[in-house]
Amino acid sequence: METHKCIWMDAESVDYQLCPLNQNCDLCDFHKQMMRGCRPGKTAESTTIDIRKPEATVIQFTPGLQFLNRHFWIKRTGKGKVHLGIDAFLFQILSSVQKIITPKNNSLLVQRQCFAWLQLEDEIIYLRTPIPGRIIHTNPLFDSKQMQDTQLYLSPEEDLWLLELELDEGSLEIEFLCKDDYMNQAKKDIGRFDKLLEPAKEATPHTLIRRSQLDKKAFSKYLLDVSDNLAYVC
């Protein structure tokens, strides 16, 4: 049976730990112990996840950024070099992130390989890279061991890049979204998020919903769908 590195080893939180469960973290006792050790509070077995409702007014098509399908973007920083980041839509719904972990500089990434782990209160969000390349730099903004700012999505998007990559030859032979396509897609994805809230009508018509406890499995499926399988919950 093929065995992969544990996500905690990939994230360099432990020196050595293999995964015999094909990264099915919900079934892993080691993962549950690590999550409990990181934070008191809810147990790792929780079936809900605390998510912020995305607002259309925060989302914009930022000049200078090239948006890939859905919610990832790149910005050229030099010949064969780009910043890679996620947009305000993803930063909104993941605004409870407490730590962002990335691989070491000079690490080689193949397409759709994990390039960042966003640690929330009781979950980890994996981000897979839409393009291959070699990591040159990571954003010093996220070097802090514990992040305090829950409104990063209000910062200029170009400041929230996660990695600077040196690209493989031909890796940018991909299509980018025009402004109308990007904004229409974001609007649709916000509408789909609203449907996740419908089963729990806890708010009155005059209440503005900002944070909600969503079913973890339903949100995980939603996140996979709106990211084209580039972001998922563990």
Side-chain angles (χ1 to χ4, degrees), residues 5 14 18 29 39 78 115 120 123 126 195 202 216:
K5 291 181 181 179
V14 296
L18 296 181
D29 290 337
R39 294 165 303 283
F115 76 94
L120 279 60
E123 293 81 22
Y126 293 63
K195 290 182 178 180
E202 53 212 73
K216 186 175 177 180

Side-chain angles (χ1 to χ4, degrees), residues 11 16 41-42 44 58 68 71 73 89 96 129-130 142 163 167 170 200 222:
Y16 186 79
K42 291 194 302 180
V58 176
L68 307 172
H71 303 290
W73 58 262
F89 173 86
S96 59
T129 178
F142 304 124
L163 300 178
L167 302 178
Y222 168 82

Side-chain angles (χ1 to χ4, degrees), residues 195-213:
K195 290 182 178 180
L196 291 178
L197 301 176
E198 289 178 359
K201 294 281 188 180
E202 53 212 73
T204 68
H206 302 291
T207 302
L208 293 177
I209 302 173
R210 289 295 178 263
R211 304 200 70 84
S212 299
Q213 288 290 323

Side-chain angles (χ1 to χ4, degrees), residues 24 71 106 175 183:
N24 190 350
H71 303 290
N106 293 316
E175 294 184 3
M183 297 302 293

Side-chain angles (χ1 to χ4, degrees), residues 119-137:
Q119 186 173 300
L120 279 60
E121 183 180 358
D122 289 286
E123 293 81 22
I124 292 178
I125 306 296
Y126 293 63
L127 299 181
R128 292 178 171 136
T129 178
I131 55 174
R134 182 177 65 86
I135 299 174
I136 305 172
H137 299 295

Side-chain angles (χ1 to χ4, degrees), residues 1 9 11 15 32 35 37 40-41 50 59 61 69-70 91-92 104 124 141 165 192 194 197-198 204 222 225 228:
M1 178 174 60
M9 182 179 176
D15 291 332
K32 294 171 184 176
M35 293 301 291
D50 183 30
I59 298 171
F61 190 82
N69 194 16
R70 300 297 184 135
F91 262 119
Q92 279 188 85
K104 291 180 178 180
I124 292 178
L141 179 66
L165 294 177
R192 294 173 65 188
D194 290 340
L197 301 176
E198 289 178 359
T204 68
Y222 168 82
D225 288 344
D228 288 337

Side-chain angles (χ1 to χ4, degrees), residues 172-233:
L172 278 188
E173 294 179 358
I174 51 178
E175 294 184 3
F176 299 101
L177 295 179
C178 68
K179 180 178 180 179
D180 288 344
D181 288 345
Y182 171 75
M183 297 302 293
N184 287 337
Q185 185 64 72
K187 183 178 179 180
K188 288 180 182 178
D189 289 341
I190 290 174
R192 294 173 65 188
F193 187 94
D194 290 340
K195 290 182 178 180
L196 291 178
L197 301 176
E198 289 178 359
K201 294 281 188 180
E202 53 212 73
T204 68
H206 302 291
T207 302
L208 293 177
I209 302 173
R210 289 295 178 263
R211 304 200 70 84
S212 299
Q213 288 290 323
L214 299 180
D215 177 80
K216 186 175 177 180
K217 288 184 178 179
F219 174 72
S220 181
K221 183 178 184 302
Y222 168 82
L223 189 61
L224 281 168
D225 288 344
V226 301
S227 69
D228 288 337
N229 295 316
L230 293 177
Y232 60 107
V233 182

